[in-house]
Amino acid sequence: MQLTFSEFLATIPELTHDQARTAARDYAPLPYLHRIEGPVRKTQVETGFIINGTEERLKAMLDDPTASETQKMLAAKILKAMSKLYQVEFYINLADPEVAQMFSLAHTLNVLNNDEATRITEAAMYIPAKPWPNTTLYEVRYSRGDMPTKELIPDGRFVTVTTNADCEKHNASIYGFNPRTQQWQSIQAFRNVEKAGTYDAEIPSFAFGWQLRVDDAYGVM
């Protein structure tokens, strides 16, 4: 099962925020077996069967007096699957424990040879993309609950902040202290903070008069 970003960070508590950002960007989930479906994956299987003469060999196995009943049963099931291979709704799911066990047994008993087994495995193999290649320090600090903040002074309906250096592009959340709930809550954000300069945001009317602060993940506010 794919880890969430927070779950991934929880596996590397010993890393600094900068190191965790690099680790998140580089993280690649392990390949996994799933369905052989769609013309590309099914053609991989069919090509292997053609090259290896699989259909002819399995049909001969059904009549081979030296073949065991288990081998004949497996050969019959594989031939049935081959006959349905290009039906749109048909797929072979190697993530299914029963199917995986049968596939493994067919290989072990030489109903499928090494090349056939390899091609089937490759056709069922999925290689996930890196889930967080553009992770920012802001995202790491936010997820870890370790976000420095800076107090803001509103100017009428607006609030401004001036950054003193460039940083990774992010939306810096603005928080207001709700006097009714006695809690800080997100009310707005400075959008697309990246280049050193001044940014502004409009304060929602419900937050007029509240204490304000902003996330300062990069120490540039």
Side-chain angles (χ1 to χ4, degrees):
M1 185 174 64
Q2 176 64 51
L3 293 175
T4 66
F5 186 61
S6 295
E7 289 170 341
F8 170 74
L9 291 178
T11 68
I12 49 173
E14 74 283 0
L15 298 188
T16 66
H17 297 322
D18 284 331
Q19 291 170 334
R21 172 180 54 187
T22 299
R25 289 176 175 178
D26 293 341
Y27 173 70
L30 293 175
Y32 62 94
L33 294 174
H34 195 46
R35 293 179 175 180
I36 299 173
E37 60 184 347
V40 174
R41 293 179 183 274
K42 289 182 177 181
T43 298
Q44 285 181 265
V45 174
E46 183 187 44
T47 300
F49 286 166
I50 291 172
I51 291 173
N52 286 280
T54 306
E55 183 175 2
E56 294 79 5
R57 194 183 75 256
L58 295 183
K59 285 181 176 179
M61 185 176 289
L62 294 178
D63 297 323
D64 184 352
T66 66
S68 70
E69 291 304 312
T70 300
Q71 287 176 311
K72 291 180 179 181
M73 177 272 292
L74 292 169
K77 286 184 177 294
I78 294 169
L79 285 169
K80 184 177 181 180
M82 289 174 65
S83 71
K84 295 182 177 181
L85 191 61
Y86 281 99
Q87 293 180 15
V88 175
E89 72 280 2
F90 180 76
Y91 59 83
I92 301 169
N93 185 9
L94 287 192
D96 182 317
E98 184 177 346
V99 175
Q101 183 180 29
M102 195 169 296
F103 169 65
S104 178
L105 184 60
H107 186 203
T108 300
L109 297 180
N110 296 315
V111 178
L112 292 172
N113 64 31
N114 288 339
D115 186 66
E116 292 162 342
T118 297
R119 289 174 183 270
I120 291 171
T121 300
E122 289 176 348
M125 187 69 69
Y126 288 73
I127 302 176
K130 292 183 178 181
W132 312 298
N134 301 310
T135 298
T136 63
L137 183 64
Y138 184 90
E139 291 169 325
V140 172
R141 300 198 75 143
Y142 183 87
S143 185
R144 282 181 161 178
D146 184 23
M147 181 67 71
T149 59
K150 183 174 181 179
E151 184 180 359
L152 295 172
I153 305 299
D155 181 12
R157 295 188 300 111
F158 293 88
V159 64
T160 61
V161 69
T162 299
T163 59
N164 55 34
D166 294 349
C167 61
E168 293 175 313
K169 189 175 183 179
H170 67 288
N171 295 328
S173 290
I174 300 171
Y175 302 89
F177 188 77
N178 187 330
R180 295 182 300 278
T181 64
Q182 295 292 295
Q183 298 287 330
W184 289 94
Q185 66 185 67
S186 178
I187 62 168
Q188 184 53 285
F190 293 116
R191 308 290 176 183
N192 301 317
V193 176
E194 182 179 17
K195 298 296 183 181
T198 300
Y199 297 82
D200 71 346
E202 186 173 3
I203 304 170
S205 59
F206 66 80
F208 287 169
W210 289 9
Q211 292 175 259
L212 303 178
R213 65 188 187 189
V214 61
D215 286 339
D216 189 14
Y218 301 92
V220 298
M221 300 294 186

